[in-house]
Structure formats: C-alpha cells, structure tokens
Amino acid sequence: MPDKDRRPILEVKNLFYGYAPPSGFSIFISYFSLYVGETVLLLGPSGGGKSTLLNLISGVTRPDSGSIEICQQSMRDLSASQCDRFRGEHIGLIYQSLNLIPWLSARENILLGSAFSARRRARLLASSPVAHANGLLDSLNMPYEKFANMNTENLSLGQQQRVAAARALIGSPELILADEPTSALDDENCNEFLQLLFSRLDRSRQSVLMVSHDRRIAERFDRVINLETLFGGEA
Amino acid sequence: MNVVGLSFRSLRSRAPIVFLVVLNLSLSIALYIGVVSVERMSRASFENSISGVDLILAPRGNDMQILLYTVFNIGEPGGLISGDSLDKVAQDPDVDWLVPIALGDSFKGFRVIGTTPRFFDAIEVRRDQPLQFAMGQQFNGFFDVVIGSRVASDLGLNIGDAVTIQHGMGGINTASHDRLPFQLSGVMEPTGTAFDQVVLIRIQALEGLHVGWRNGQELMGLSSDDIISQMGLRSNYASNAAFVGVKSPLKLFSVQRRISELRGDALSAVIPGVGLAKLWQLIGSVEAGFQFIAMLVIAAAVISMVAMTMASLDSRRRELAILRSVGASPMHLVLLLLVESIFIAVNACLMGIAISQVGTWVGSIYLEKQFGLVVGSGLLHTEDLWVLVYVIGAAIGASGIPALKLYRRTVNDGITVKL
C-alpha cells in the first residue's frame, strides 16, 4: 500500500533536541511517520535516546526545533496541561518494568488508563469501566475473579506486563507507546505478552510504536527501524 | 477513580504511618481544645462565684483585693464598715438588698463567714441558680452553722455535729471559742465556687463571740445565753464587707456613686464584673502562655505531617511518573498531595475533638473534686472551630513545600520512571 493513501497517526519532522552540557547528548530525526494500524519496532541499545524520544512524542519534553504531530494535532500548539490531557486521551504507555502502582489492585491499575480521559471512558461501549477492565483481564489469561482485586506485588512479572498492556489498551487510544516492555520477560511470557497486545489492537485506528533492543520480537512487527538510522535521517 | 479516590488509596497503603501522623496532630489539637476549655471553665467558675451580686461594699481599697477576700477567700479584709454605714447603704432607695460579711475566724482551716440568712436567697452561684442545700437547712437557731460541700466532704460532718470556731485563721496555739454551742444545721450543694469551702454562721453570733476579747485573748467571755440576750438578732452590726443587690441595673452606677460619696466611713463599691475583668487580665497572661504553647505543639505536628509527605515523595517517584503517563498533569499530582493533607487534617480534627471531649469528661471528675471547677455541658464552642479551620489551613499551606518539590520533580522526570 503506497504511503500517500495512508493516514499517519504520528508524524515527526526535523526534530532536534539537545541536552545541556556536560552530557551534550542530542537527537535529530529529519522525518518519521507511523500510520494507522501499523506496528513499528525501533531497535536500539539502552542509553541511545529512547527515553528522550518517548518524552518528546508524549509531549512531556519540548523539542528544540522541528515538529511532532499526533492525530493531526501539532504538539507544539498545545500548552503543557493540554499536552497532559492529550496524552491521556490518545496515548497508552507501557514501560519496561515496574509499570504498576503498588497501592492499587490489578483492576484499578487498568482503570487508571482511562481515569484522566473522558474520551477513553466514553469509548468503553461495554457496560461499565469495571466490566471492561474485567473483560481485559480475562483476555490476558488472568481470570478477573481471581486477579481483579489482587495486590499487584503478588503478580508475576509477565502478569504485571500484561496488566500494563491492558492499561495502555483500555479506551482504545490511537497510539500505544512501549519502552522495552519485553526485555525483562522470558521467551514464553514475551510471546504471550505480544500476542495479547496485538490481538486486542484495533488495526483500523490504533498503532504501536515500540522501542527495544530485543531482537527476538522483530518478526512480529510491520516495520523494524534501527534507532541509529532513525536519528541519522529518515524512516 | 478520580484524584480523591487515588488519594484515599494511596493513604490506605501507608495506613500505619498516616495513622501516627493523624494521632500526633489530633493529640495536639486535643491539647489546644483542652487548654481553651479549662480556661473557659475557670473563667466561668470565676464569674459564677458571684452572679446575682451587683456591688461589693468594702472599706476603701483596691478593687481586686476586695474581690479576692470577699469572693475567693484569699487575703485579709481591709477593715470594718460601721453598722451605721451599712444601714445608710441598705436604706438607699435603689438598693434591693444587702448581705453583710464578717471575716476573721476559721474552722479547721476553712474560713468562717458571719452573715445573715438573706445570704442564701441573694447569692447565686450560676445565673439564676440560688444556693441549694444538700442536707439540712439554713440558720434556725442562733448558733447554727452552714458549711460548703467541700468542708462537709473533707471533714465528714453530719447535721447536729458540734462545731468549734477558732479565732483567726487557725494555727497551733490559736484560741478557740470552744465554750459556745455552735452546731451544724445545713450543708450546701457543690457550687464549683469558693463558697464550697466556707463555714457560715450568723453575723450576730460571730460578733457576740468576740465580745470581751482583746488582742486574740479571751479576757471576759460571755456565756451563750449572755450573747443571745446581748446581741439578740439586732440589726446593727459592723462587718468587713457586704454584698449588695440593686433594684434595677440602670441604677447601678448611681448607687455606686452615692456609696463613694457617703460621709463617715470611706467605702468602695466594686462592680464584680469589672473587678473580675481586672483579675482575669492578670491571670489571662498565663492562660495566653499555655495557649501559645499548645499552638506550638500544633505547629510541630503540622511540620511532622509535612516531613512525612516529603519523605514519601522519594519512594513515590515511580507512581508519579506512571500517573503522568496516563494523562495526569503536575497540577493533578499537586492536588493529590493536597487531598491527602486535607484528609489527614480533617481526620485529625475530628479525632482531636473526640479525644478532647473524652479527656475533659474524664478530667472533669478530677477537676471538680480537686478544684471545684464545674465543667459545663457545651464544652466545644464555635470559636474553637476556628482552630480547626486554622489547622486545616495550615496543613494545606504547609503542603505547599512538598507540593512545590513534587511539581518540580514531575516536570523534570516527565513520564520517565526513575527509581
């Protein structure tokens, strides 16, 4: 399918961001786009600017120059608090580990995903947010009768990551950002995690951008881009 | 699940330490309310001592001193008012009643007051509450004695018991009026005032038993029959002071002026309320000191609450980043912190009130026994609630420090999880 027929969900142009000395580290992306329904893996080592990139895309950090558009909305035009709300509405985030708030139950952690977004709550067509979260738990091979009220500290690493995926998915945000979500998982849990994440993805409107150094997952993605290539030019 | 719900769940996860902080704050609030209540009770006890009395008549002297020796059994009287002067005041058209008070003798360490039966009708210990008798009745016979509740409970006397009045305020070698047949006729109900600690006899009896005395020695004592026949119930007697009631409050100042202009004895007419206010000013500074200390304790508790919040911020770095990632703005997180502080402060206030109420209830039993302070019902007054408002305000204000730290940190950390 030629690019021009597809809508980008994320478009990055001439993005530059540099840290102040002494680190002096900087990243530059001349062009990058992610299309609706697309799953992209950015492969790169730790310390390669992944966190900075995620902070830039999610609007927490402002670029020194260049533009980032998500769902046709330029992040530059949003105030800091509008950015926060926009992130809550349109982006679901998954971290490498320690994704969950320890004083919330598994279900409460999932519900957190739509807690700050009326739009995501409104998209939960099924009865109530709680029922929806229960459904998500079930689909993650975590029967809600057993897991919904469980303390997250009693969950295995793989279960924790799946709950984090459910939180990112609840209310169907357009962009799922994932920062090394599988690197702490063994092969079995890694496969289960990706399978569940992709199976719950609505390809007609949602996209995944994952950053990782984990090469074993590359085959599951529509596109794989090396971080060095990305920072060097276009993708 | 909104910010308030998140706050509660976060607090619940730190329940033990949150409870200690609430307890700390609530104890300091209870201390403050306790100090204020005791102050109010002692003030009320002060004011109750002589409600119903419009003027205190005494030989010219210091208002406060007069108040102390007439109402609070403290200090020595300043001299005598002649019977003629008392009559003149009693006959003033605006004076309703006059009750003389003669002092100087004692009974086992308790002060003896010579007065007239009118005393029991005129004196009120609380507004519109006359003296009541727990046992027996007021003076009937010439040598009848009425005692306050504290005297009765300390000495374990019964109606009909003989009472030996001692000359002066007691001591090892003081002379006794032991030949005279004083006997107990009545015991008053507790009043929570200094009247609980007095021994009342007829003023004529007090005067009569001193006939024939010089310099504290009995030279030529009279028998009881002689005293009765000589003194009888005559109406002309000298006294150390007198309680006066006027017919209309509007006439108070004109009566007071006429008394000070009387020829003969130089007299003072003290308005109890004015004297009490002066006395209270004196004691009030001590009370203010206590209040100040109680406020410092509250401040220390608020600081400890802030310290807990500050300390928790470090261990909560991760959850703050997670909350940012799902769309919480730094202001949301500041709000989260404020709701926690408000919750702690409000709970501490409620608990503080509860502790202070239970504490004063338990303490009142002791206070009433030891100091005769009568604890009223409505302990908590509306002005106390202002303290609660200040505490909650201070808690919110003090949360500004951790809130600022949190704000800066979340802006820096963004959605990056830092440990």
Side-chain angles (χ1 to χ4, degrees), chain A:
Chain A
M1 186 155 40
D3 282 359
K4 64 179 188 327
D5 294 338
R6 300 195 294 175
R7 278 184 300 125
I9 211 158
L10 166 70
E11 203 166 25
V12 178
K13 289 176 194 159
N14 297 320
L15 180 75
F16 177 79
Y17 182 80
Y19 285 94
S23 92
F25 178 78
S26 68
I27 61 173
F28 175 74
I29 298 171
S30 67
Y31 184 82
F32 170 73
S33 60
L34 176 72
Y35 296 96
V36 175
E38 195 179 27
T39 59
V40 170
L41 177 67
L42 296 178
L43 262 181
S46 311
K50 287 182 296 146
S51 299
T52 310
L53 182 61
L54 289 180
N55 271 337
L56 285 164
I57 292 175
S58 55
V60 174
T61 307
R62 299 278 170 154
D64 292 337
S65 64
S67 74
I68 298 168
E69 277 185 22
I70 298 169
C71 304
Q72 282 76 53
Q73 170 67 54
S74 167
M75 299 302 275
R76 199 168 26 191
D77 298 340
L78 298 176
S79 70
S81 65
Q82 284 172 324
C83 261
D84 289 322
R85 179 179 301 183
F86 187 85
R87 176 168 62 250
E89 303 276 10
H90 299 281
I91 301 176
L93 243 150
I94 310 169
Y95 295 112
Q96 175 172 2
S97 62
L98 302 172
N99 262 294
L100 307 181
I101 292 184
W103 38 265
L104 292 178
S105 70
R107 182 167 57 202
E108 285 166 339
N109 264 290
I110 295 175
L111 290 172
L112 206 56
S114 58
F116 292 88
S117 163
R119 190 189 300 207
R120 279 171 74 173
R121 278 197 300 276
R123 277 200 207 109
L124 304 175
L125 298 173
S127 52
S128 70
V130 169
H132 202 89
N134 288 343
L136 274 166
L137 275 169
D138 276 345
S139 70
L140 300 174
N141 294 338
M142 295 170 69
Y144 78 89
E145 294 91 343
K146 183 179 171 195
F147 288 97
N149 294 313
M150 194 179 267
N151 193 325
T152 54
E153 276 153 358
N154 297 330
L155 298 178
S156 74
L157 211 56
Q159 286 166 338
Q160 286 185 29
Q161 289 303 83
R162 277 180 267 153
V163 170
R167 183 175 67 211
L169 286 165
I170 195 168
S172 310
E174 285 83 351
L175 180 58
I176 310 283
L177 289 178
D179 181 6
E180 305 248 19
T182 59
S183 21
L185 302 181
D186 58 29
D187 285 349
E188 192 184 333
N189 274 308
C190 174
N191 282 331
E192 196 174 7
F193 172 83
L194 289 174
Q195 193 190 330
L196 291 168
L197 174 64
F198 287 148
S199 71
R200 295 292 301 203
L201 203 64
D202 177 0
R203 294 263 183 175
S204 69
R205 42 185 306 281
Q206 289 182 288
S207 314
V208 174
L209 179 63
M210 192 177 290
V211 192
S212 183
H213 66 266
D214 193 352
R215 291 187 178 277
R216 59 190 169 154
I217 62 175
E219 62 195 20
R220 290 180 177 271
F221 288 82
D222 300 341
R223 269 199 292 163
V224 179
I225 302 166
N226 264 316
L227 213 53
E228 287 138 1
T229 328
L230 179 70
F231 289 163
E234 296 189 17

Side-chain angles (χ1 to χ4, degrees), chain A residues 55 84 87 95 103 108, chain B residues 9 13 319 322 324 415-416:
Chain A
N55 271 337
D84 289 322
R87 176 168 62 250
Y95 295 112
W103 38 265
E108 285 166 339
Chain B
R9 285 173 172 84
S13 73
E319 69 198 44
I322 293 169
R324 286 298 308 279
I415 55 167
T416 312

Side-chain angles (χ1 to χ4, degrees), chain B residues 75-98:
Chain B
E76 295 302 318
L80 283 175
I81 309 173
S82 69
D84 291 344
S85 296
L86 284 178
D87 281 346
K88 274 184 206 159
V89 174
Q91 280 153 21
D92 186 295
D94 291 323
V95 166
D96 189 15
W97 51 265
L98 182 146

Side-chain angles (χ1 to χ4, degrees), chain B residues 70-340:
Chain B
T70 54
V71 179
F72 297 105
N73 303 335
I74 298 168
E76 295 302 318
L80 283 175
I81 309 173
S82 69
D84 291 344
S85 296
L86 284 178
D87 281 346
K88 274 184 206 159
V89 174
Q91 280 153 21
D92 186 295
D94 291 323
V95 166
D96 189 15
W97 51 265
L98 182 146
V99 173
I101 297 173
L103 304 166
D105 281 3
S106 66
F107 172 60
K108 296 190 176 172
F110 293 103
R111 187 175 283 227
V112 170
I113 298 178
T115 186
T116 59
R118 186 76 204 241
F119 181 94
F120 302 102
D121 303 322
I123 303 295
E124 291 170 354
V125 286
R126 247 159 274 177
R127 204 157 291 285
D128 300 326
Q129 195 181 320
L131 293 167
Q132 306 274 341
F133 281 87
M135 279 196 293
Q137 54 182 356
Q138 58 139 298
F139 311 140
N140 196 8
F142 189 79
F143 290 105
D144 277 357
V145 177
V146 169
I147 57 176
S149 61
R150 181 75 188 279
V151 183
S153 63
D154 275 19
L155 301 180
L157 292 174
N158 285 311
I159 302 295
D161 285 356
V163 173
T164 304
I165 309 286
Q166 282 162 299
H167 193 73
M169 275 316 289
I172 300 165
N173 284 321
T174 47
S176 297
H177 305 287
D178 48 5
R179 291 179 300 98
L180 301 177
F182 283 102
Q183 66 168 25
L184 192 64
S185 72
V187 176
M188 292 185 287
E189 288 274 11
T191 62
T193 69
F195 291 126
D196 291 347
Q197 304 184 36
V198 297
V199 175
L200 297 163
I201 61 174
R202 281 185 190 270
I203 190 165
Q204 294 92 342
L206 188 76
E207 197 167 325
L209 59 81
H210 288 101
V211 173
W213 282 59
R214 286 287 180 277
N215 301 325
Q217 294 289 318
E218 186 174 17
L219 300 176
M220 180 199 73
L222 297 177
S223 71
S224 55
D225 290 342
D226 288 345
I227 290 176
I228 296 174
S229 65
Q230 275 202 20
M231 309 300 294
L233 287 175
R234 73 175 199 194
S235 59
N236 191 291
Y237 35 74
S239 76
N240 296 105
F243 294 139
V244 176
V246 296
K247 285 177 177 153
S248 153
L250 300 172
K251 302 290 185 188
L252 185 60
F253 292 102
S254 51
V255 171
Q256 189 187 27
R257 197 185 61 244
R258 282 201 290 276
I259 289 173
S260 61
E261 286 169 356
L262 269 185
R263 287 159 193 255
D265 300 338
L267 298 178
S268 287
V270 179
I271 299 171
V274 175
L276 282 174
K278 285 183 186 168
L279 197 58
W280 196 257
Q281 270 181 351
L282 212 68
I283 302 170
S285 59
V286 179
E287 303 279 352
F290 279 126
Q291 263 192 45
F292 180 68
I293 291 169
M295 280 178 171
L296 281 186
V297 173
I298 292 181
V302 170
I303 290 170
S304 78
M305 182 187 88
V306 173
M308 178 209 70
T309 313
M310 294 282 272
S312 77
L313 281 189
D314 286 327
S315 57
R316 297 171 70 187
R317 228 169 163 170
R318 165 163 55 122
E319 69 198 44
L320 295 177
I322 293 169
L323 288 171
R324 286 298 308 279
S325 80
V326 294
S329 67
M331 278 318 290
H332 276 124
L333 302 185
V334 166
L335 199 64
L336 190 81
L337 212 66
L338 285 185
V339 171
E340 289 179 10

